Amino acid sequence: MPISVFDLFKIGVGPSSSHTVGPMMAAFKFTAALRDKQVLGQASRLEVHLYGSLSATGIGHGTDHAIIMGLLGERPDAIDPSIITPEIATLKETRRLALDRQVDIEFVWERDMIFHEESLPHHPNAMKLCAFDQDGRALLENTYYSVGGGFVVDQSQVDAKLEDMDTAKIPFDFNSAEELLAICKRENMSISQLMLENEKTWRGEQEVRNELWRIWQVMCECIDNGLTHEGVLPGGLNVKRRARQLHQRLIAAEQNTCLIATTFSAMEWVNIFALAVNEENAAGGRMVTAPTNGAAGIIPAVLHYYMKFQDGACERNVVDFLLAAGAIGILCKKNASISGAEVGCQGEVGSACAMAAAGLAEVMGATPEQVENAAEIGLEHNLGLTCDPVGGLVQVPCIERNAIATIKAINAAQMALRGDGTHFISLDKVIRTMRDTGRDMLDKYKETSKGGLAVNAIEC
Ligand code: SF4
């Protein structure tokens, strides 16, 4: 099934694409299905069942709150994040839920929001939604799987072995980096040009450019918000926001004539951009999956770095960067996973690092082979990375991990640009290794908060 760059870069809310954005979208779809079946008005009670990783770390990721928002008829790309906390408080107090903002039903949190220890067979991120009429008869029941990056499939799609109902035919379909490079060579195209031609399957060229520019604007707003907000992040770990203070210190230091612009200060800028995005994500703010929420700081930080430090950087570069990054995200998703619950953090931060390295190499004038090399370096050095968020919150180690990965991505692009594109291990082999390593990884390292830092951090 073809994947669009807009499937990877989706406007949403924090803190998690698989645990917040996906579940909200699933609940929104369920509500729409009740409407389509013309049974919305008969609904009297609802049950929400959470399984596997959605149950284990759902509270820390705001999964329960996101589902309620979807049941209210809110979409992750349109919701005002500031309404979530007060709406949930009101619902818990009144025990009333305005389904689709139309039908007032009873919702008793302790009874109707049900956390199950077990996982469902298809995917660790599963949820079941059931609506009943006033006599307790089922009106609609569906199981949804949040498969990473905000992608959602329901039981019927799983049964039909269709992860996506999109059957569009794209002109340059590719399932491996080898195929991607062969098409680029045959058609004498860059990776971003090839991706643009594919995107034209769904939208006109100008619309693709405008939409990618809009994605970039939301990324920039997210950075700005992260540089403005201060205080302690929600969730109970008492993690302090750092981006604002570090930003102010850096500006002051740069005004000091003793400090000249060095590679070191450029690195500080990149760190701050990544911290800003991930702090905003952890606080439940508006942001863009890139390709997930947990790893959302890497691509905006690297692109911001390019736009800030590269003379003549312009809108066209933003579009090319995101298109080339998207090609690598598609390969990771098709051949391994971008979900921490499936393959650990290598699938989230590793994929984002590879994507950012590829995007940067592309706009720095790399050949397709050098872009592939940059992505390969970016991913290779994140292999084996586990997902072990402390307290089930996307804060520790996630926030700093994004900053570290931005530096890796820039380094990977630089190393690839110094070479001629030939290298020892192909990107395809590294992606395959990520898939196999993820398969061998114990579940406690796959977004369950039952292993790694999640258990050791609270020892004292
Ligand atoms: S450890 Fe990595 S995969 Fe897990 S929640 Fe944090 S950023 Fe996401």
Side-chain angles (χ1 to χ4, degrees), residues 15-16 18-19 61 278 281 292-296 338-341 343-350 385-390 392-399 401-402 445-448 453:
S16 168
S18 56
H19 288 57
H61 287 85
N278 288 89
N281 178 57
T292 63
N293 282 41
I338 57 169
S339 164
V343 295
C345 197
Q346 54 175 352
E348 295 205 14
V349 162
L385 200 57
T386 58
C387 171
D388 51 0
V390 178
L393 299 163
V394 193
Q395 298 180 11
V396 182
C398 321
I399 297 172
R401 185 167 288 173
N402 274 251
Y445 299 117
K446 293 197 264 193
E447 213 161 353
T448 55
L453 290 172

Side-chain angles (χ1 to χ4, degrees), residues 238-287:
N238 291 324
V239 173
K240 268 181 77 178
R241 284 178 178 255
R242 282 178 289 174
R244 183 172 188 267
Q245 200 182 38
L246 290 173
H247 184 226
Q248 287 173 339
R249 277 198 208 146
L250 185 57
I251 289 172
E254 288 201 340
Q255 281 163 356
N256 177 342
T257 47
C258 298
L259 187 101
I260 47 166
T262 61
T263 307
F264 200 64
S265 85
M267 201 164 82
E268 288 204 70
W269 278 108
V270 186
N271 279 338
I272 289 168
F273 296 147
L275 294 178
V277 172
N278 288 89
E279 287 175 2
E280 222 20 51
N281 178 57
R286 156 86 54 237
M287 34 83 58

Side-chain angles (χ1 to χ4, degrees), residues 435-449:
R435 182 199 63 196
D436 295 347
T437 307
R439 200 174 284 162
D440 293 343
M441 206 179 264
L442 297 175
D443 280 350
K444 65 180 181 177
Y445 299 117
K446 293 197 264 193
E447 213 161 353
T448 55
S449 290

Side-chain angles (χ1 to χ4, degrees), residues 301-327:
V302 174
L303 183 49
H304 220 297
Y305 163 84
Y306 176 80
M307 297 300 280
K308 182 173 173 64
F309 290 103
Q310 180 65 41
D311 288 340
C314 62
E315 187 171 336
R316 174 172 282 274
N317 299 133
V318 168
V319 171
D320 290 349
F321 185 113
L322 294 175
L323 286 169

Side-chain angles (χ1 to χ4, degrees), residues 9 215-223 277 288 290 299-300 322:
F9 299 120
I215 293 285
W216 172 235
Q217 293 307 307
V218 177
M219 288 178 172
C220 291
E221 281 163 25
C222 184
I223 291 176
V277 172
V288 178
I299 288 169
L322 294 175

